[in-house]
Amino acid sequence: MKNYFYPPLPNTCLINFAQVIAPVVIPYFFKFELRIDRESIETIQALNERRILLLPNHPTFQDPIAIFALSGQLNQKFYYLSAYELFQGFMTGIFQQLGVYSIRRGLVDRPSIAQTIEILTQPSCRLVIFPEGGCSFQNDTVMPFRAGAVQIAFQAMSKLAKQGEIPDLYALPVSIKYRYTQDMQRVIHQTLNRLEQALNIKSCLKDYDRLQAIAQHVLVRMEREYDTYSPTKDELTWNDRISLLRMHILESCEQQLGISSNPKEPVRERTYRVEYVLKTQVDTLESETTAETETVTGDRANKYSLIEKSIKRLLNFDAIYDGYVAENPTPERFLDTLTRLEREVFDIDKPPAKGYRHARIKIGEPINLKDFFTEYQRDRANTVDAVTLKVQQTVQQNLNLLNGNW
């Protein structure tokens, strides 16, 4: 029977060993080292006997590793909520023993929610949830934070309140930002060359013009693939075209899978629902496959494969917008965008790191949810949204501060 929930199975010996070797292993295998200021360390240490919910931004796939390195510097054990898709192959058991547990995005995952509440009711717990819900692939900006993490934290407080305790529970804004340690111009040129060759584009003189030409080619190619291109679209802004294409892809996927569209819901939430329904139907297809139904299931598998590709595109380009590089043309922003384009053009899920980096972590002012609990009891939805927005804004403000204070 297929397992749909992977609980944390923390192994103290393994966690301690991993934390000891992390400063050597992480720079070698993941090409970065952690930098965190004394003030941020002291902020967490001051909450030593308190419950903490760490809420970091999520610009890269390496962010959980950076947070694990932070746990090692603090000599503390963290729990980590992670997407169900992570739990594949022999690493599944290791992840669980490091304190990682699963959540299926796109639905109400009751076992995962119950596990999260149970962790948050433990004294002195440290729980990490990435509230963007997935990688933004943007080093300088955050996507809108999903309210689920704060909502579950308040549910844990409500559970304790029924037992006669209204506890301190701190939401901790965590800003993660990367900076290359060497001149990246040669890497930028090499990446531009590879993309131009793959797309058969004649090279321009300036790097930004080359980036725009590649992005334009990819956009038109995708519009044609989804039969949405017309010459009149050249009159629209890129952001309008990206938005229209995104909506077309999403609505098409929903229609093919029989999902009701909700235009008011965030794109990423809708995309995760599509992903969940797709996986459910694929599992059903695999269980029903017989020799007599091979042709039918083959057609359905092909349709599902196309939808799966669309899901990857939606998540890859969810937060992208025209002007991200132009407004602050740093090597990091340039390579953020090039990496997205590589994922599309070369169909690579996780392109390797472009160079060695410093990962800076800055901890924002802790937000004691106890201070909002009475308000939460009067108006749950608006209180959760207000606190979530406060965390998001603090994370963004500290990312901005890191720009000028590296």
Side-chain angles (χ1 to χ4, degrees):
M1 184 175 179
K2 192 165 185 176
N3 189 359
Y4 285 111
F5 176 64
Y6 295 92
L9 304 170
N11 181 319
T12 300
C13 291
L14 178 62
I15 292 172
N16 291 342
F17 175 71
Q19 288 177 337
V20 168
I21 66 173
V24 176
V25 171
I26 291 174
Y28 184 80
F29 286 101
F30 301 101
K31 306 302 181 186
F32 74 86
E33 61 186 82
L34 179 65
R35 297 288 181 90
I36 181 167
D37 58 88
R38 172 49 54 184
E39 182 182 359
S40 292
I41 291 289
E42 291 174 350
T43 296
I44 301 181
Q45 289 176 336
L47 302 174
N48 195 38
E49 301 299 324
R50 303 290 193 272
R51 298 174 175 89
I52 299 179
L53 173 61
L54 295 94
L55 299 171
N57 60 312
H58 201 355
T60 76
F61 290 116
Q62 288 78 47
D63 306 325
I65 299 166
I67 297 296
F68 183 81
L70 171 64
S71 77
Q73 286 202 15
L74 295 165
N75 194 28
Q76 296 179 2
K77 180 181 72 177
F78 289 1
Y79 288 94
Y80 309 82
L81 180 63
S82 180
Y84 173 82
E85 291 74 22
L86 176 72
F87 296 84
Q88 298 180 16
F90 74 97
M91 287 297 293
T92 295
I94 295 175
F95 288 140
Q96 291 177 274
Q97 291 182 65
L98 291 174
V100 186
Y101 65 103
S102 69
I103 185 167
R104 287 184 291 164
R105 301 175 297 192
L107 78 161
V108 178
D109 189 338
R110 298 189 186 281
S112 184
I113 292 172
Q115 180 70 73
T116 302
I117 292 174
E118 194 277 327
I119 290 172
L120 287 170
T121 57
Q122 297 176 12
S124 305
C125 75
R126 291 338 187 216
L127 173 61
V128 180
I129 298 179
F130 290 92
E132 288 172 294
C135 284
S136 69
F137 305 107
Q138 294 189 172
N139 193 49
D140 289 350
T141 59
V142 298
M143 295 188 296
F145 281 11
R146 303 161 81 190
V150 171
Q151 180 179 345
I152 294 174
F154 275 120
Q155 289 175 355
M157 293 183 69
S158 297
K159 181 178 179 179
L160 290 170
K162 291 177 182 178
Q163 301 171 7
E165 174 192 4
I166 300 179
D168 292 317
L169 200 167
Y170 289 87
L172 204 60
V174 181
S175 300
I176 308 175
K177 189 179 182 68
Y178 298 86
R179 179 71 60 85
Y180 292 104
T181 61
Q182 69 270 31
D183 184 356
M184 299 302 293
Q185 202 59 42
R186 182 177 61 85
V187 176
I188 289 173
H189 287 163
Q190 290 174 343
T191 308
L192 287 167
N193 288 338
R194 285 197 300 271
L195 287 165
E196 287 169 340
Q197 290 172 9
L199 297 171
N200 195 25
I201 298 175
K202 184 179 179 180
S203 179
C204 304
L205 294 177
K206 297 180 179 179
D207 287 348
Y208 186 66
D209 292 336
R210 297 171 70 185
L211 177 64
Q212 282 192 308
I214 292 167
Q216 168 75 7
H217 190 97
V218 169
L219 177 59
V220 170
R221 188 173 76 168
M222 290 174 62
E223 287 174 334
R224 285 177 170 156
E225 184 174 340
Y226 289 96
D227 198 26
T228 66
Y229 176 76
S230 69
T232 58
K233 282 200 170 181
D234 294 335
E235 301 172 4
L236 299 175
T237 67
W238 277 23
N239 286 335
D240 287 340
R241 291 173 64 181
I242 291 169
S243 180
L244 287 171
L245 179 60
R246 182 186 294 128
M247 285 300 102
H248 174 84
I249 295 173
L250 183 53
E251 290 170 1
S252 176
C253 290
E254 289 172 333
Q255 183 179 13
Q256 292 182 73
L257 294 174
I259 302 172
S260 299
S261 297
N262 182 1
K264 295 182 179 180
E265 195 173 20
V267 169
R268 188 163 284 255
E269 293 290 341
R270 293 169 65 183
T271 303
Y272 286 143
R273 184 170 295 107
V274 168
E275 185 177 42
Y276 168 71
V277 173
L278 175 67
K279 290 183 182 300
T280 301
Q281 293 192 15
V282 167
D283 289 344
T284 302
L285 175 67
E286 291 175 349
S287 66
E288 291 177 350
T289 300
T290 63
E292 290 77 11
T293 61
E294 186 173 347
T295 301
V296 176
T297 55
D299 291 340
R300 289 171 64 190
N302 184 56
K303 181 186 78 171
Y304 291 157
S305 177
L306 294 175
I307 295 174
E308 184 178 30
K309 183 177 181 180
S310 295
I311 291 169
K312 290 179 179 178
R313 283 172 162 168
L314 287 167
L315 296 176
N316 189 32
F317 293 113
D318 181 23
I320 198 169
Y321 62 90
D322 184 29
Y324 175 67
V325 176
E327 66 188 17
N328 187 15
T330 62
E332 288 76 24
R333 287 200 181 204
F334 217 109
L335 288 166
D336 282 346
T337 306
L338 286 174
T339 298
R340 289 178 188 270
L341 293 168
E342 282 187 308
R343 296 182 80 228
E344 167 64 24
V345 173
F346 300 121
D347 195 21
I348 304 172
D349 184 34
K350 297 180 181 180
K354 299 297 184 184
Y356 197 82
R357 299 158 294 165
H358 288 156
R360 282 287 302 274
I361 289 181
K362 185 170 181 61
I363 306 299
E365 185 71 24
I367 301 170
N368 192 350
L369 299 185
K370 182 178 180 178
D371 297 338
F372 297 86
F373 189 65
T374 301
E375 184 180 342
Y376 168 77
Q377 290 178 308
R378 288 198 306 264
D379 188 351
R380 295 187 178 188
N382 285 328
T383 304
V384 168
D385 288 344
V387 173
T388 301
L389 181 60
K390 184 178 177 65
V391 175
Q392 176 189 321
Q393 290 173 338
T394 302
V395 171
Q396 183 63 67
Q397 288 165 4
N398 284 333
L399 285 178
N400 297 341
L401 288 175
L402 287 174
N403 276 334
N405 184 27
W406 197 261

